Amino acid sequence: MNYMVGFISLNVYALIVCLLLMTVFFSKKRQKQVEDQSYAHFLIFNALATASGIVLGILVTPSFNTSEFILEIANKIYLICLMCWSCILNYYTMYISFLNKRKDRKKVLSLYKKIILVAIFILVILPVQIEATDSGAQATGASLVFFYTFLAAGFLSDFISILTDFKNITSKKYLPIYLLLVLGLFSVSVQLVFPQLNYLVNPCTVLITLVMYFTIENPDIKIIEQLNIAKDQAEKANRAKSDFLSNMSHEIRTPLNAVVGFSEAILEENDIEQIKSDAKDIIMASNNLLEIVNGILDISKIEADKMEIVETEYDLVENLNGLAKLMIPRIGEKPIELRTKFAPDIPSILYGDGGKIKQIVMNILTNAVKYTERGLINLEVNCVNSGSECKLVISVEDTGRGIKPEKIDSIFNKFERLEEDRNTTLEGTGLGLAITKRLVEMMGGKIVVQSKYGAGSKFTVYLKQEIRAVHTNVKREITYDKLVDISNRKVLVVDDNKINLKVATRMLTPYHLNIEECESGLECIDKIKEGRSYDLILLDDMMPKMTGTEALKELEKIPDFHTPVVVLTANAIEGMKEKYLKEGFKDYLAKPIDKLELERILYTYLAYKEKKEEIFEPLPEDLYDINKPLHQDTN
Ligand code: ADP
């Protein structure tokens, strides 16, 4: 009897500790992580198990004369609470050791919940007998055997879970589990010697819960850890931003300085040849500036995880052929031969982000042209097709200046430009390859560089794409013919900004077109409604009152309106082209206008159209009346 009083008192102390722990834990600000939620449940079931253990201890004392049925119910409630406590510990151990890395953990949790429900059911239906002796209560029966077997299985599961995370076996997070094993062994051994002393279990579970609180599940410690992580991240981001700003300020000032300097020189200059040469330098500096702006957009999108893969069907060979053609003006006067070689088994239509592949190859080809003085640049594309998968191997080899072996790794860093002293005459930002590498990696591919300093470099890109069509008789030539005369075709340029209108009309001048301008979508619609017809409309999108897209929708409602409308926009970020094409625009021209792109658009939409100019005045309608004399005498 004295034992009973002693053990009940021990359990009451354990319950008090547990309740204090709960008060502290639940009064603190917690995070909604799985560990915290598990620990909260863990505390609740610990308190319930301890409280029900105390109630059982009291009921079982002979002086209470409690009926067997009530004792059985009280015992089962106690066992269920303990079993739930043990299950939560199992789940907690599984979570911290391997489940947190798995995506299907919700499924595992729901399966585990089902197992617990079944176990509780079995525990409830199996019999248990409890009898009070002078030295304490002693329970026996199938229900108890099942309970201990379940607990042993739980221990084993904890152990296996920890083994799956063997390299962290000494981690502090497993301390409560080790303690549980030690205390578990201790209470089982005591129980074997003194079968009636099963009141040690709850003080042990409370001790484990207490240790957990002070080692790993203390909300204060957790919040401090999270705050430290957030602080480190914020400091890192801030440093990166400062570096970025100081780099950018330098990069942008350099071409701007050229634009301002050469423009002022032009104002003072009378020699037309010198003016032309200065204008060329202005174009070069502006292109460099544009490259920087695009580069910043791309890199900041990539770093903010906002760059998306836009998958469409595309013709790789046609795309890369077009790119190679764009390189010819860049090569200019340099004695460089540009060769392209496309394997015949490259599928005619691939599915993937063709735009990004173009950007990747464009960056590598541009570098090859930039850093090669003479010799050869070879663009080669091979592929390995299996089923619907096409493994592309795209390589660009040049006979340029090459890269020193110790510098090869750094060329993919942001703003990294090698041999700045040799680069002074070459435009560049040091962003191209950083963007290229990240784009390749985003698409699940890789990029490899081989280079011999002074002899040349080879950049190889490996990418996987989906095959959509394999036939090879697809027309793979550019679709416009510059021999067709497009002069006098009527083009309407719509832009709310007067400078933009001026630039567009200036750039259209060499084509001797019949150009009209207007400053809003409404004005454009009025012109069409008035019956004016055009062969092409270049329509700005971002305009006040009515956007270009809205204007297009209105234009499409006008009967017999078939003029191709091309969007002319500074909205040049990734995916915009596809968006505008979906809206119904025939094509897309980004601002600042690229001369070659403009030419492509003009010849694509103006060159194939039959000239429908009427040479003769239309004859009077009544001429078709056969009863009328051919010549009417007016006299
Ligand atoms: P940049 O705008 O300077 O060209 P990139 O990121 O594209 O920036 O390239 C980083 C550096 O790598 C270049 O400044 C150049 O020194 C080196 N590099 C890149 N491609 C080549 C190449 N084909 N041959 C030699 N050097 C190259």
Side-chain angles (χ1 to χ4, degrees), residues 12 74 175 185 248-249 268 364 383 394 520 556 566 597:
V12 171
L175 190 70
L185 278 178
M248 271 352 289
S249 152
E268 309 271 304
I364 304 175
C383 67
I394 307 171
S520 73
E556 281 169 345
V566 171
E597 257 307 277

Side-chain angles (χ1 to χ4, degrees), residues 313-336:
E313 290 188 353
Y314 66 95
D315 182 339
L316 180 79
V317 177
E318 187 182 276
N319 282 356
L320 298 191
N321 251 328
L323 263 191
K325 285 199 175 95
L326 282 181
M327 288 298 129
I328 294 167
R330 286 191 186 235
I331 292 176
E333 304 282 290
K334 290 201 260 186
I336 295 175

Side-chain angles (χ1 to χ4, degrees), residues 291 364 367-368 370-371 398 401-403 411 413 416-419 423 427-434 457 459:
E291 217 175 280
I364 304 175
N367 277 349
K370 246 196 284 186
Y371 301 108
D398 64 57
R401 58 160 77 165
I403 304 158
I411 59 171
N413 295 343
E416 190 80 36
R417 303 198 73 209
L418 309 180
E419 303 178 46
N423 277 347
E427 74 257 51
T429 57
L431 282 175
L433 285 181
S457 316
F459 287 76

Side-chain angles (χ1 to χ4, degrees), residues 33 38 44 66 91 103 123 139 144 168 184 187 380 398 407 443-444 455 524 532-533 543-544 561 594 609-610 626 634:
Q33 288 172 346
S38 306
I44 294 168
T66 318
Y91 181 73
K103 286 203 174 102
L123 198 85
L144 212 67
N168 292 322
S187 41
E380 188 169 334
D398 64 57
K407 298 282 183 193
M443 297 169 78
C524 163
R532 297 195 199 203
S533 78
M543 292 186 289
F561 176 79
D594 179 80
K609 207 168 166 246
E610 287 297 322
I626 47 164
T634 44

